[in-house]
């Protein structure tokens, strides 16, 4: 059985954090996964404590694990991250994914990290002095434009 492996934007952003001695092993891992995702050497499993059975980790080497999202049919894999063993399990437990209802794009994110960023970056909202600019626009129209 062959599989398709796709790299997520989270993986692309975290690639620089992977130890240089492991980067070539990641490429080997991707080919192994694509050629036979049932190979016992990959040790593909849902980590203990992860509620979503589509979120898996797999062995890259003895110390590094890949964090993946598996399609319901099991033939497509999204590589989300490659992290040291224990960090991969922790990260898998915080991972969320879904389809953005407005844009229709598949999204993968760390819910806790996103919440922390939003808490620190959103300034307090002042009481409006006048009628809001978009007050006459319907909610459905705003959603259609991605707002």
């Amino acid at each position: 059985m062959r599989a398709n492996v796709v790299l997520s934007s989270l993986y692309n952003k975290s690639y620089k954090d992977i130890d240089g001695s492991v980067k070539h092993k990641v490429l080997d891992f991707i080919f192994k996964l694509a050629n036979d995702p049932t190979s016992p050497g990959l040790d593909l499993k849902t980590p203990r404590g992860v509620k979503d059975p589509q979120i898996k980790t797999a062995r890259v080497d003895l110390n590094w694990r890949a964090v993946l999202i598996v399609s319901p049919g099991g033939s497509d894999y999204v590589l989300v991250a490659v992290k040291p063993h224990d960090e991969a399990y922790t990260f898998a437990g915080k991972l969320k994914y879904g389809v953005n209802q407005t844009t229709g794009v598949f999204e993968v994110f760390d819910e806790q990290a996103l919440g922390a960023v939003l808490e620190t970056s959103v300034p307090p909202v002042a009481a409006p002095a006048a009628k809001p600019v978009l007050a006459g626009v319907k909610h459905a129209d705003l959603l259609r434009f991605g707002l």
Side-chain angles (χ1 to χ4, degrees):
M1 175 181 154
R2 293 190 48 84
N4 298 310
V5 181
V6 178
L7 306 180
S8 77
S9 60
L10 276 180
Y11 173 77
N12 292 335
K13 290 176 187 173
S14 67
Y15 182 76
K16 65 179 175 19
D17 298 330
I18 298 173
D19 186 84
S21 65
V22 177
K23 288 183 179 180
H24 73 280
K25 293 177 183 180
V26 174
L27 185 58
D28 290 342
F29 163 79
I30 291 169
F31 281 110
K32 285 178 189 173
L33 180 65
N35 286 322
D36 184 10
T38 63
S39 172
L42 293 174
D43 191 28
L44 185 66
K45 62 185 176 186
T46 301
R48 199 174 314 132
V50 174
K51 295 176 184 137
D52 188 333
Q54 301 309 119
I55 297 175
K56 308 278 188 194
T57 64
R59 180 182 299 127
V60 173
D61 71 9
L62 290 176
N63 298 312
W64 290 77
R65 291 192 70 82
V67 180
L68 304 150
I69 299 171
V70 184
S71 70
S75 62
D76 298 303
Y77 293 81
V78 178
L79 177 59
V80 179
V82 174
K83 295 186 174 287
H85 189 276
D86 293 343
E87 287 180 39
Y89 288 133
T90 302
F91 182 74
K94 299 186 291 183
L95 193 62
K96 299 290 180 198
Y97 65 92
V99 176
N100 182 306
Q101 293 180 4
T102 302
T103 63
V105 173
F106 182 74
E107 297 177 323
V108 180
F109 54 94
D110 175 343
E111 190 172 45
Q112 289 178 344
L114 180 62
V117 167
L118 290 176
E119 283 180 16
T120 59
S121 64
V122 177
V125 178
K131 185 177 177 182
V133 175
L134 299 175
V137 180
K138 295 178 184 173
H139 181 70
D141 292 332
L142 292 174
L143 286 176
R144 198 174 69 214
F145 288 110
L147 301 175

